[in-house]
Each structure stands twice: as structure tokens, then as C-alpha cells.
Amino acid sequence: MYVDLRSDTVTRPCPAMRRAMAQARVGDDVFGDDPSVNRLQEMAAELVGKEAAIFLPSGTMANQVALRCHTEPGDRVLLEEKSHVLAFEAGAPAVISGVLPGPVPSVRGIMDPDDVLRAIPPQNVHFAPATLLCVENTSNRGGGSVYPLDVIDALTRLGHSQGIRLHLDGARIFNAALASSTSPARIARDFHTLSFCLSKGLGAPVGSLLCGTEETITKARRVRKMLGGGMRQAGFLAAAGIYALEHNVSRLALDHDMAHRLWEGLVHTGWEAQEPETNMVYVDAPGAAGTVARLRDAGVLAIATAPDRIRLVTHLDVNREGIEAAIAAFAKIRTYGSA
Ligand code: TLP
């Protein structure tokens, strides 16, 4: 048995979630008839303070549908330079929306509003106009870092004052809300759309929600269909999402505690690692691929996110014993590595 810290996407549905799925009331969601999907969408919209929500197969599709809804081909989308939308969605913004990325630098994934302002081109025929700003909270490559609310407010004010639409990639918005002692609705308040994932720390097997105005979500339904994401008896999946929202939100605090313990343990054994704000620990490891292989031999799964960096993610299928085992594995590797 491995301690699997590759991602919070690796979780498997617990027996109670499986029962909820098996017993779900379903219908054909392309006709709008699936009661479980409808309920999940209503719950999601209410939770994040938006008028409407649409259930989508993945966080990637939720982000890309949002981009398509907010932009026209030839527009510029401002986004953090290592953000998921730009770096890890297979070039989809170029293909699906025909947009130009406007990368913005950051410190630990957090963009400074002055840098965003600098990335907005003058209004002139030579330039692709900036029409959308995407913000990722928590920031994955930033280390699971959390935007301070005043920075969120400064970014949304900037967007509104410049006539730029705002999308929040809140794949891990519940982690962000917990860590900043606020609500997802408050974080998302001034964004036109917010996407969040059920299949990460919340433990559902599949699914994301895109939330916004009725008008935007109506458009999103057509874009989802165009991309082949219209699902039929999706209520079986929605039931897992409902279970996740009802049972797995507040326990994310445990994941944050475990990540902190992991970080402490690693630092104690001589590893350099960024102090976690949520459920991710990024470790400095020259020769990261080799370290990941040695960790695997020692019973721990992790991923190398750069030649000299490893990512560890805590989630509901890891417990404190697993975390102690992971710390021991890192300690062992360090001893052998330096021998
Ligand atoms: N992130 C995954 C990998 O794709 C890197 C992970 O293991 O962290 N936004 C953010 C901030 C994400 O971290 C991810 C997934 C997504 C969107 C996309 O979600 P999915 O995987 O459902 O398409």
C-alpha cells in the first residue's frame, strides 16, 4: 500500500458516497430532467452566491467553457504565468476560444494588481484587447497559496474599472475559504464566474461546477454541448457531488493540518520546503525525478513538478499515520542520498 500524495484527485468514493450514487434519482440532463443534477446546480449556485450553475465533467472543461463565454477570438486573457488555465489545459484557450494569453508574473502564484495593470495593452488596433482576467485561488503552482481578500478586491476593482470580465478558477475554493476564514461566496462576490471542483479535496469521483449569472450559464450550456460535455443520467455523478458538499467541506481543515505536519517533519529532517497555506507541500529537491523514484521504493507516491521540485498533496484518503510514514521515507532517502 502506497501513501499516495500525488494529488487530491486520487481519492476514491467512500461507501456512503457510493450508496448515495447508487440510490440517486436520475433523468436525462440534456433535457434538463435530471433531479440530482438540478439539485446539485442549485446547491452550488447558492453556496457561492451566484444566480445559476452548470455541472461539467472536469475543472478543465469548466474553465474553458468560461473562457469561451467571456471572450471572442483575438481577445487577450490575462492570467498568472503558471496558472492551470494557461499551463495545464493542453493549449485549449488557443483552440477553443482563439485567445491570446497575457501572462502575469506572481509571487507564489499571487498576482500583484500593478502587474495586472501593466499587462493591459493600450486601446489601439495593434493590440489584442484584454477582455478577461482569470484568477486561480488557491494557486496550485504557487504552493496551494491563498489570495488575501484585499488583493482579490483590488483585482476585481481593477477588472470592473477597465471593463474586463473576471473568472475565478476556484478548483480548490473551499480550501481557500477555510484558510482565509471567509466564505466562497465572499471570495467570488465580484467575479462574473467561478468554477470549482468536486473531484479534488471534496472526494467525489467526477465533476466541476461553473457558476455565474443565468445569462452566462445559459450560454455555457450551449458551449458545453458543443464540446461534447452534455451528459445524460449524470445524476449518479451529481449525487456524489451533493454528498461531497454535504459531508466533506469542513474536514478540509484536517488536510491543511496534515500538510503542515508533513512540512514540519520534512524541514526537521533537513529538506527545504515551502510552508503550506492549505493542502500542498512543495519540496526543493535537485534531481526531483530520481527522488520521486526513491520515494516510490519507500512506499510514497509524489510528483516532480520541475527538475528540482516535488509536490505533495494531502487529502481524505491519507491519514496521520500515512503522513508520518511519508516523513520517515523522506528522512531515509536523505540519509542514503548523502551517504
Ligand atoms: N489540477 C491537477 C493537475 O491537472 C495538475 C492537480 O493534480 O492539481 N484548476 C486547477 C487550479 C487545478 O489544479 C486543476 C487540476 C484544474 C483546474 C483542472 O481540473 P480537472 O483535472 O478536473 O480538469
Side-chain angles (χ1 to χ4, degrees), residues 165-241:
R165 292 180 74 81
L166 294 147
H167 171 65
L168 177 61
D169 176 357
R172 298 182 178 84
I173 192 69
F174 293 98
N175 299 82
L178 198 68
S180 51
S181 304
T182 184
S183 64
R186 173 61 184 88
I187 299 174
R189 189 186 68 188
D190 299 317
F191 287 85
H192 296 94
T193 48
L194 153 73
S195 56
F196 72 85
C197 293
L198 299 165
S199 59
K200 300 203 162 57
L202 299 184
V206 176
S208 288
L209 277 303
L210 177 67
C211 312
T213 59
E214 286 285 357
E215 193 186 348
T216 306
I217 299 307
T218 301
K219 189 169 176 188
R221 273 180 215 294
R222 192 172 62 81
V223 178
R224 179 184 68 175
K225 189 75 186 130
M226 196 192 296
L227 297 177
M231 298 181 287
R232 301 293 178 172
Q233 284 72 36
F236 292 115
L237 302 175

Side-chain angles (χ1 to χ4, degrees), residues 7 58-60 63 84 89 136 140 169 171-172 197 200 311:
S7 181
S58 69
T60 299
N63 283 331
H84 201 274
E89 298 189 2
E136 184 178 304
N140 183 342
D169 176 357
R172 298 182 178 84
C197 293
K200 300 203 162 57
R311 186 186 75 164

Side-chain angles (χ1 to χ4, degrees), residues 319-339:
N319 57 23
R320 288 181 192 275
E321 274 169 33
I323 295 301
E324 296 308 322
I327 294 169
F330 269 93
K332 185 172 147 196
I333 281 173
R334 189 150 192 93
T335 313
Y336 292 155
S338 56

Side-chain angles (χ1 to χ4, degrees), residues 154-170:
L155 289 171
T156 55
R157 265 197 311 274
L158 175 65
H160 288 287
S161 72
Q162 299 278 329
I164 292 175
R165 292 180 74 81
L166 294 147
H167 171 65
L168 177 61
D169 176 357

